[in-house]
C-alpha cells in the first residue's frame, strides 16, 4: 500500500512539474532533439557508416596472419615434416606467419573508399534532415498551441460579452421593458457561446497534448508554454524570388545534399564493380617452421667386428687384405628448439590473376551497380524537382497568406464598427436580437480569420527562412 501511495504521489508531482514549468520554443526543440528516438536511430546509422568508412581505409593495408597446429599420427604414415614413412606414432607441430598485400585490383579499394566516404556524408545529411523535420514539427505544434490559445481567448471574451447582455436583458425583462423572447434569445446565444468556448478549450488541450506526445514527455498530459510577443504583420516579407530561395535551399538543405552524396556513392560503386574485370596483382610472403618426433639426430658412432672387405696390391705385386668395420649409430629425437631453427622455410610470391570467365558474376555485379547508379541519379533529380515545387508553393502560400491577413484585418475593422453600431442600437431597443447576434457572429468570424491568417503567414515565413538556412526562431 505504501508503494502504491508513493507511486501515485510521484505521478502527481511529475504532472505538476510539467504543467507548471514554462516551455519556450527553443527549449522544446532542444528537448526533442536530445530525446527523439528517430534522431537516435539515425545517429546509429551514422556511426555504422563511420565504421564502414574506417573499414575501407584499412583495406589498403596488408594482411598478416599467424598459424599454429599440433598433430598426432598413428600407424603407417608419412611424416609431414621429414616426408619419410613412419611406422610408429608421430607427433608434429607446425608454426607459420603469412602476409598478403593487394597491389592492384582495378582501383576497387580506391573506389570503395570513396563510396563509403560519400555514404558517410549522406548519413550525416540524413541525420541533419531528421533533426530539421523534428524542429519543423515541434515549431508547427508550438504555433498551433499559440493559435488555439488566441482563439480560446476570443471565445472567452465573446462568452463574457454574452453574459453581460444576458444580465442586462434579464433586468429589462423583469422590469417589463423587454419581451421575454428577447431575453430567451440572449440566453440561447450565451449557451452557444459557452459551447464555442468549450470547443476552443478542447482544441487548445488537444494542441498541447500533441506537443507533449511529440516531445514524448511520458505520463504528462499537458504543457505550459511561453507565449512570445509576435509582431503583427504589417508589410510583406522582403522581396526575394523563388529562384533565390531555391539556390539557398540547394546549398543548405541536408535532404538535397543527402541525395547528391548518395548519387556520388552509387557512381563510385559502379566504378568499383567494373574493377572485377581488371587483372589483380598481389604480393605474398610466409615464414614457417615445425617440429616432428620422427626427426632424429646421431649422438655417437661405435666400430666393432672387423672383416675383410677386399684386397689391395702394392707395386711389387704383394696382396694385402683391406679390413672394414660395422658402424653402430645411436640416435635421439632432435630437440624442439633445434628443429625450429633447422626447419625454417621462407617464401615470397607475386601473384597475377586475370579474370577470364567467372559465371557472369562480374557482368551481374556491374549491371546491378549501373541500376543503383541510375536509381540514385533519378532520386536526386526527383528531390531537386520536388524542392522547386515546394519552394514555389510555400512562396505563393506566404504571399496569399499575407493578402488574406490584410483582407481579414479590413473585415475585422468593418465588423467591429458594425457590431458597435448594432450594439448601441440594440441597447436602446432599435435593433432586435437577430441583428445583434448576427453582427456579433460576424465579428467573431472576422477575429478568428485574422488570427488564423496571421499564424499561417508567420509559419510560411518561417518555412521560407528554413529553406534559406536560417534557424527557426519566433
Amino acid at each position: 500500500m505504501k508503494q502504491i501511495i508513493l507511486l501515485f504521489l510521484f505521478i502527481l508531482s511529475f504532472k505538476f512539474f510539467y504543467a507548471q514549468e514554462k516551455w519556450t520554443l527553443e527549449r522544446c526543440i532542444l528537448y526533442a532533439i536530445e530525446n527523439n528516438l528517430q534522431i537516435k536511430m539515425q545517429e546509429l546509422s551514422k556511426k555504422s557508416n563511420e565504421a564502414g568508412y574506417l573499414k575501407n581505409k584499412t583495406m589498403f593495408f596488408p594482411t598478416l596472419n599467424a598459424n599454429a597446429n599440433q598433430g598426432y599420427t598413428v600407424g603407417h604414415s608419412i611424416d609431414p615434416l621429414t616426408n619419410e614413412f613412419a611406422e610408429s606414432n608421430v607427433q608434429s607441430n607446425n608454426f607459420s606467419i603469412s602476409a598478403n598485400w593487394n597491389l592492384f585490383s582495378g582501383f576497387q579499394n580506391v573506389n570503395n573508399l570513396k563510396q563509403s566516404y560519400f555514404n558517410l556524408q549522406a548519413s550525416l545529411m540524413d541525420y541533419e534532415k531528421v533533426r530539421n523535420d523534428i524542429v519543423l514539427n515541434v515549431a508547427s505544434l508550438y504555433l498551433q498551441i499559440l493559435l488555439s490559445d488566441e482563439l480560446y481567448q476570443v471565445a472567452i471574451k465573446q462568452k463574457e460579452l454574452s453574459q453581460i447582455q444576458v444580465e442586462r436583458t434579464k433586468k429589462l425583462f423583469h422590469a417589463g421593458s423587454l419581451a421575454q423572447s428577447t431575453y430567451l434569445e440572449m440566453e440561447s446565444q450565451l449557451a452557444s457561446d459557452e459551447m464555442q468556448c468549450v470547443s476552443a478549450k478542447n482544441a487548445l488541450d488537444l494542441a498541447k497534448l500533441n506537443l507533449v506526445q511529440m516531445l514524448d514527455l511520458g505520463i504528462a498530459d499537458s504543457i505550459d508554454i511561453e507565449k512570445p510577443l509576435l509582431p503583427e504583420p504589417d508589410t510583406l516579407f522582403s522581396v526575394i524570388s523563388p529562384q533565390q530561395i531555391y539556390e539557398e535551399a540547394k546549398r543548405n538543405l541536408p535532404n538535397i545534399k543527402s541525395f547528391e552524396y548518395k548519387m556520388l556513392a552509387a557512381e563510385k560503386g559502379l566504378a568499383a564493380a567494373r574493377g572485377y574485370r581488371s587483372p589483380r596483382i598481389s604480393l605474398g610472403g610466409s615464414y614457417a617452421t615445425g617440429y616432428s618426433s620422427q626427426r632424429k639426430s646421431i649422438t655417437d658412432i661405435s666400430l666393432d667386428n672387423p672383416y675383410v672387405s677386399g684386397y689391395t696390391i702394392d707395386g711389387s705385386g704383394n696382396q694385402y687384405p683391406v679390413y672394414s668395420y660395422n658402424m653402430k649409430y645411436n640416435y635421439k629425437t632432435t630437440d624442439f628448439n633445434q628443429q625450429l631453427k633447422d626447419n625454417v622455410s621462407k617464401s615470397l610470391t607475386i601473384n597475377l590473376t586475370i579474370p577470364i570467365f567467372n559465371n557472369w558474376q562480374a557482368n551481374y555485379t556491374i549491371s546491378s551497380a549501373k541500376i543503383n547508379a541510375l536509381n540514385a541519379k533519378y532520386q536526386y533529380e526527383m528531390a531537386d524537382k520536388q524542392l522547386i515545387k515546394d519552394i514555389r508553393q510555400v512562396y505563393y502560400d506566404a504571399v496569399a497568406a499575407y493578402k488574406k491577413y490584410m483582407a481579414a484585418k479590413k473585415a475585422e475593422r468593418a465588423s467591429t464598427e458594425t457590431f458597435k453600431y448594432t450594439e448601441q442600437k440594440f441597447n436602446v431597443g432599435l435593433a432586435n436580437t437577430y441583428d445583434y447576434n448576427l453582427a456579433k457572429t460576424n465579428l467573431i468570424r472576422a477575429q478568428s480569420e485574422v488570427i488564423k491568417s496571421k499564424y499561417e503567414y508567420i509559419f510560411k515565413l518561417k518555412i521560407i527562412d528554413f529553406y534559406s538556412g536560417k534557424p527557426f526562431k519566433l
Side-chain angles (χ1 to χ4, degrees):
M1 185 65 183
K2 183 178 180 181
Q3 289 81 354
I4 296 176
I5 294 175
L6 290 175
L7 178 62
F8 180 72
L9 292 175
F10 170 75
I11 293 174
L12 287 180
S13 63
F14 188 86
K15 289 187 175 183
F16 180 80
F17 174 77
Y18 280 111
Q20 297 298 320
E21 192 176 9
K22 293 285 186 179
W23 286 73
T24 64
L25 175 60
E26 290 75 15
R27 186 184 174 192
C28 290
I29 291 174
L30 182 61
Y31 185 90
I33 290 175
E34 291 178 349
N35 296 276
N36 187 268
L37 293 179
Q38 286 183 319
I39 293 179
K40 292 181 179 180
M41 292 173 63
Q42 191 59 48
E43 190 171 1
L44 292 178
S45 176
K46 180 182 67 172
K47 291 181 178 179
S48 177
N49 281 283
E50 288 175 351
Y53 179 57
L54 179 61
K55 172 193 169 186
N56 283 305
K57 271 187 174 181
T58 60
M59 294 301 292
F60 289 91
F61 303 147
T63 60
L64 181 64
N65 297 285
N67 181 62
N69 64 67
Q70 181 171 345
Y72 294 93
T73 304
V74 180
H76 189 75
S77 62
I78 297 178
D79 187 344
L81 219 65
T82 63
N83 205 29
E84 296 176 351
F85 283 102
E87 298 291 342
S88 59
N89 298 343
V90 178
Q91 174 188 346
S92 62
N93 298 88
N94 291 283
F95 307 95
S96 65
I97 296 178
S98 61
N100 190 71
W101 192 8
N102 183 10
L103 300 179
F104 181 78
S105 58
F107 300 105
Q108 281 188 309
N109 287 344
V110 174
N111 289 312
N112 284 333
L113 179 62
K114 292 181 179 179
Q115 182 184 24
S116 62
Y117 170 77
F118 289 132
N119 283 330
L120 173 59
Q121 295 302 314
S123 67
L124 293 174
M125 294 299 103
D126 288 337
Y127 175 76
E128 292 298 325
K129 178 183 180 299
V130 173
R131 284 169 56 100
N132 286 344
D133 291 343
I134 297 299
V135 169
L136 286 178
N137 289 335
V138 170
S140 175
L141 294 175
Y142 195 93
L143 287 173
Q144 185 61 45
I145 294 177
L146 296 178
L147 169 62
S148 299
D149 184 69
E150 286 202 30
L151 293 176
Y152 177 54
Q153 298 303 320
V154 170
I156 291 176
K157 290 179 181 178
Q158 295 303 322
K159 184 188 75 170
E160 292 173 348
L161 182 60
S162 294
Q163 183 67 47
I164 294 173
Q165 287 296 343
V166 166
E167 294 295 332
R168 176 182 172 278
T169 54
K170 182 179 179 180
K171 292 178 181 179
L172 293 175
F173 166 66
H174 286 299
S177 302
L178 199 66
Q180 185 179 12
S181 59
T182 302
Y183 168 66
L184 293 177
E185 286 177 0
M186 294 307 300
E187 284 277 6
S188 176
Q189 181 62 38
L190 175 60
S192 177
D193 289 343
E194 288 176 345
M195 184 180 66
Q196 292 295 328
C197 192
V198 171
S199 297
K201 181 62 167 60
N202 290 338
L204 175 60
D205 291 340
L206 180 60
K208 289 183 177 181
L209 179 61
N210 289 335
L211 181 57
V212 167
Q213 293 177 340
M214 180 67 194
L215 297 179
D216 196 15
L217 294 180
I219 59 178
D221 54 10
S222 184
I223 187 173
D224 189 12
I225 68 169
E226 186 179 90
K227 300 173 185 177
L229 295 176
L230 299 178
E232 295 292 329
D234 53 357
T235 57
L236 189 60
F237 56 90
S238 301
V239 179
I240 181 173
S241 67
Q243 181 64 30
Q244 291 174 306
I245 301 174
Y246 164 74
E247 292 172 357
E248 288 291 330
K250 195 170 183 180
R251 284 194 296 267
N252 296 293
L253 275 189
N255 55 326
I256 296 297
K257 299 183 81 64
S258 172
F259 283 111
E260 183 179 0
Y261 282 126
K262 289 175 182 177
M263 179 181 67
L264 296 173
E267 291 175 355
K268 293 304 176 183
L270 175 58
R274 286 173 173 155
Y276 282 106
R277 290 175 174 170
S278 174
R280 298 169 181 246
I281 302 174
S282 62
L283 177 66
S286 65
Y287 182 95
T289 186
Y291 167 83
S292 173
S293 62
Q294 188 67 18
R295 174 158 295 201
K296 307 293 182 180
S297 299
I298 300 174
T299 57
D300 61 75
I301 304 173
S302 61
L303 305 177
D304 61 355
N305 300 326
Y307 62 92
V308 178
S309 60
Y311 296 91
T312 182
I313 301 174
D314 62 9
S316 302
N318 297 320
Q319 188 175 10
Y320 300 95
V322 177
Y323 294 92
S324 296
Y325 298 87
N326 291 321
M327 303 181 68
K328 293 181 63 177
Y329 297 92
N330 294 322
Y331 297 92
K332 71 171 184 178
T333 302
T334 305
D335 292 339
F336 183 84
N337 292 335
Q338 187 61 43
Q339 285 200 43
L340 293 184
K341 294 179 181 179
D342 295 341
N343 297 330
V344 169
S345 65
K346 305 173 185 178
S347 69
L348 182 66
T349 59
I350 295 179
N351 301 311
L352 173 64
T353 303
I354 302 176
I356 298 176
F357 180 75
N358 293 290
N359 299 325
W360 297 100
Q361 292 301 308
N363 288 342
Y364 171 76
T365 303
I366 294 173
S367 298
S368 297
K370 283 182 179 179
I371 293 173
N372 291 336
L374 284 174
N375 187 48
K377 179 183 177 182
Y378 294 152
Q379 287 182 341
Y380 171 74
E381 292 177 353
M382 287 175 59
D384 187 62
K385 293 180 183 298
Q386 187 62 44
L387 177 63
I388 296 175
K389 294 179 181 178
D390 292 343
I391 288 176
R392 288 186 179 276
Q393 185 67 47
V394 74
Y395 178 85
Y396 290 111
D397 283 349
V399 174
Y402 176 76
K403 292 180 180 179
K404 182 179 178 182
Y405 172 76
M406 298 305 295
K409 288 290 290 184
K410 290 182 180 179
E412 181 192 28
R413 287 193 291 268
S415 297
T416 300
E417 294 299 324
T418 300
F419 175 73
K420 288 180 180 179
Y421 179 69
T422 304
E423 186 180 34
Q424 292 174 355
K425 292 175 63 177
F426 178 75
N427 290 336
V428 297
L430 298 178
N432 56 34
T433 55
Y434 174 79
D435 293 334
Y436 174 82
N437 290 332
L438 178 61
K440 181 182 174 185
T441 301
N442 290 336
L443 177 60
I444 296 173
R445 185 183 298 114
Q447 290 174 339
S448 299
E449 286 300 322
V450 168
I451 295 171
K452 291 178 182 178
S453 59
K454 180 184 76 171
Y455 278 96
E456 181 182 0
Y457 178 62
I458 290 174
F459 187 69
K460 297 301 181 183
L461 286 185
K462 296 306 175 182
I463 296 295
I464 291 177
D465 289 342
F466 165 76
Y467 281 131
S468 301
K470 300 177 182 177
F472 204 108
K473 293 182 179 180
L474 292 179

Short mmCIF file of all heavy atoms in Angstrom, two decimals, residues 17 48 63 95 112 118 170 191 196 257 293 308 310 321 330 343 374 394-395 419:
data_model
loop_
_atom_site.label_atom_id
_atom_site.label_comp_id
_atom_site.label_asym_id
_atom_site.label_seq_id
_atom_site.Cartn_x
_atom_site.Cartn_y
_atom_site.Cartn_z
N PHE A 17 4.95 19.17 -12.31
CA PHE A 17 6.22 19.77 -12.76
C PHE A 17 6.10 20.24 -14.21
O PHE A 17 6.45 21.36 -14.54
CB PHE A 17 7.34 18.74 -12.63
CG PHE A 17 8.63 19.21 -13.20
CD1 PHE A 17 9.43 20.12 -12.52
CD2 PHE A 17 9.06 18.75 -14.45
CE1 PHE A 17 10.63 20.55 -13.06
CE2 PHE A 17 10.26 19.18 -14.97
CZ PHE A 17 11.03 20.08 -14.28
N SER A 48 27.39 3.62 -37.98
CA SER A 48 27.61 2.44 -38.81
C SER A 48 28.37 2.81 -40.08
O SER A 48 29.29 2.10 -40.51
CB SER A 48 26.27 1.79 -39.17
OG SER A 48 26.45 0.70 -40.04
N THR A 63 47.56 -7.87 -45.14
CA THR A 63 47.06 -8.78 -44.11
C THR A 63 48.22 -9.57 -43.51
O THR A 63 49.19 -9.90 -44.21
CB THR A 63 46.03 -9.75 -44.69
OG1 THR A 63 46.64 -10.53 -45.72
CG2 THR A 63 44.84 -9.00 -45.26
N PHE A 95 54.27 -24.15 -37.27
CA PHE A 95 54.08 -22.74 -36.96
C PHE A 95 54.39 -21.92 -38.21
O PHE A 95 55.37 -22.20 -38.92
CB PHE A 95 55.01 -22.29 -35.82
CG PHE A 95 54.90 -23.16 -34.59
CD1 PHE A 95 55.80 -24.21 -34.40
CD2 PHE A 95 53.92 -22.94 -33.65
CE1 PHE A 95 55.72 -25.02 -33.29
CE2 PHE A 95 53.84 -23.74 -32.52
CZ PHE A 95 54.73 -24.78 -32.33
N ASN A 112 35.96 1.92 -53.51
CA ASN A 112 35.18 1.53 -52.33
C ASN A 112 35.34 2.53 -51.20
O ASN A 112 34.39 2.83 -50.47
CB ASN A 112 35.60 0.13 -51.86
CG ASN A 112 35.06 -0.96 -52.75
OD1 ASN A 112 34.02 -0.82 -53.39
ND2 ASN A 112 35.77 -2.09 -52.81
N PHE A 118 31.24 8.93 -49.34
CA PHE A 118 30.01 9.59 -49.74
C PHE A 118 28.81 9.05 -48.96
O PHE A 118 27.88 9.80 -48.65
CB PHE A 118 29.79 9.44 -51.25
CG PHE A 118 30.75 10.25 -52.08
CD1 PHE A 118 31.44 9.68 -53.15
CD2 PHE A 118 30.97 11.59 -51.80
CE1 PHE A 118 32.32 10.42 -53.91
CE2 PHE A 118 31.86 12.35 -52.58
CZ PHE A 118 32.53 11.75 -53.62
N LYS A 170 -31.99 40.47 -18.78
CA LYS A 170 -32.74 39.87 -17.67
C LYS A 170 -33.36 40.97 -16.80
O LYS A 170 -34.55 40.89 -16.40
CB LYS A 170 -31.82 38.99 -16.84
CG LYS A 170 -32.52 38.29 -15.69
CD LYS A 170 -31.53 37.40 -14.94
CE LYS A 170 -32.23 36.70 -13.75
NZ LYS A 170 -31.28 35.83 -13.01
N ALA A 191 -25.57 30.26 -24.33
CA ALA A 191 -25.31 28.81 -24.34
C ALA A 191 -24.47 28.42 -25.55
O ALA A 191 -23.55 27.58 -25.46
CB ALA A 191 -26.63 28.05 -24.34
N GLN A 196 -19.06 27.14 -27.81
CA GLN A 196 -17.88 27.51 -28.61
C GLN A 196 -16.65 27.64 -27.73
O GLN A 196 -15.54 27.27 -28.15
CB GLN A 196 -18.15 28.84 -29.33
CG GLN A 196 -19.21 28.76 -30.42
CD GLN A 196 -18.77 27.87 -31.58
OE1 GLN A 196 -17.58 27.77 -31.89
NE2 GLN A 196 -19.74 27.21 -32.19
N LYS A 257 21.35 17.52 -50.25
CA LYS A 257 22.76 17.13 -50.24
C LYS A 257 22.88 15.63 -49.97
O LYS A 257 23.82 14.98 -50.45
CB LYS A 257 23.51 17.94 -49.19
CG LYS A 257 23.48 19.44 -49.45
CD LYS A 257 24.29 20.21 -48.44
CE LYS A 257 25.76 20.19 -48.80
NZ LYS A 257 26.04 20.87 -50.05
N SER A 293 58.39 -35.57 -34.03
CA SER A 293 59.02 -36.57 -33.15
C SER A 293 59.78 -37.63 -33.93
O SER A 293 60.57 -38.41 -33.38
CB SER A 293 57.96 -37.25 -32.26
OG SER A 293 57.02 -37.95 -33.07
N VAL A 308 87.18 -58.64 -43.60
CA VAL A 308 87.93 -58.34 -44.83
C VAL A 308 86.93 -57.98 -45.90
O VAL A 308 86.09 -58.78 -46.30
CB VAL A 308 88.78 -59.55 -45.29
CG1 VAL A 308 89.49 -59.22 -46.61
CG2 VAL A 308 89.79 -59.92 -44.23
N GLY A 310 88.10 -56.59 -48.81
CA GLY A 310 88.75 -56.60 -50.11
C GLY A 310 90.27 -56.66 -49.94
O GLY A 310 90.78 -56.82 -48.82
N PRO A 321 95.18 -57.67 -47.37
CA PRO A 321 93.73 -57.57 -47.11
C PRO A 321 93.35 -56.16 -46.63
O PRO A 321 94.13 -55.50 -45.97
CB PRO A 321 93.48 -58.62 -46.02
CG PRO A 321 94.78 -58.72 -45.30
CD PRO A 321 95.86 -58.51 -46.34
N ASN A 330 73.91 -44.33 -32.73
CA ASN A 330 72.95 -44.08 -31.66
C ASN A 330 72.19 -42.78 -31.96
O ASN A 330 72.81 -41.75 -32.25
CB ASN A 330 73.66 -43.98 -30.31
CG ASN A 330 74.28 -45.30 -29.91
OD1 ASN A 330 73.70 -46.36 -30.14
ND2 ASN A 330 75.47 -45.25 -29.32
N ASN A 343 64.21 -26.24 -39.34
CA ASN A 343 63.09 -26.46 -40.27
C ASN A 343 62.48 -25.18 -40.81
O ASN A 343 61.36 -25.18 -41.32
CB ASN A 343 61.99 -27.28 -39.57
CG ASN A 343 62.47 -28.65 -39.18
OD1 ASN A 343 63.34 -29.23 -39.83
ND2 ASN A 343 61.89 -29.20 -38.10
N LEU A 374 21.82 4.70 -61.63
CA LEU A 374 20.72 5.40 -62.29
C LEU A 374 19.60 5.71 -61.31
O LEU A 374 19.00 6.80 -61.35
CB LEU A 374 20.18 4.55 -63.45
CG LEU A 374 21.04 4.52 -64.72
CD1 LEU A 374 20.46 3.52 -65.72
CD2 LEU A 374 21.10 5.91 -65.34
N VAL A 394 5.33 27.24 -51.20
CA VAL A 394 5.38 27.97 -49.93
C VAL A 394 5.54 29.47 -50.17
O VAL A 394 5.04 30.29 -49.38
CB VAL A 394 6.52 27.42 -49.04
CG1 VAL A 394 7.89 27.86 -49.55
CG2 VAL A 394 6.33 27.85 -47.60
N TYR A 395 6.21 29.84 -51.27
CA TYR A 395 6.36 31.27 -51.58
C TYR A 395 5.00 31.90 -51.87
O TYR A 395 4.64 32.93 -51.28
CB TYR A 395 7.29 31.42 -52.78
CG TYR A 395 7.49 32.86 -53.22
CD1 TYR A 395 8.45 33.66 -52.62
CD2 TYR A 395 6.71 33.41 -54.24
CE1 TYR A 395 8.64 34.98 -53.02
CE2 TYR A 395 6.89 34.72 -54.65
CZ TYR A 395 7.86 35.50 -54.03
OH TYR A 395 8.02 36.82 -54.42
N PHE A 419 -20.55 45.96 -35.35
CA PHE A 419 -21.03 45.42 -34.08
C PHE A 419 -21.25 46.53 -33.06
O PHE A 419 -22.26 46.51 -32.33
CB PHE A 419 -20.02 44.41 -33.54
CG PHE A 419 -20.38 43.89 -32.17
CD1 PHE A 419 -21.44 43.01 -32.01
CD2 PHE A 419 -19.68 44.32 -31.05
CE1 PHE A 419 -21.79 42.55 -30.75
CE2 PHE A 419 -20.03 43.86 -29.79
CZ PHE A 419 -21.09 42.97 -29.63
#
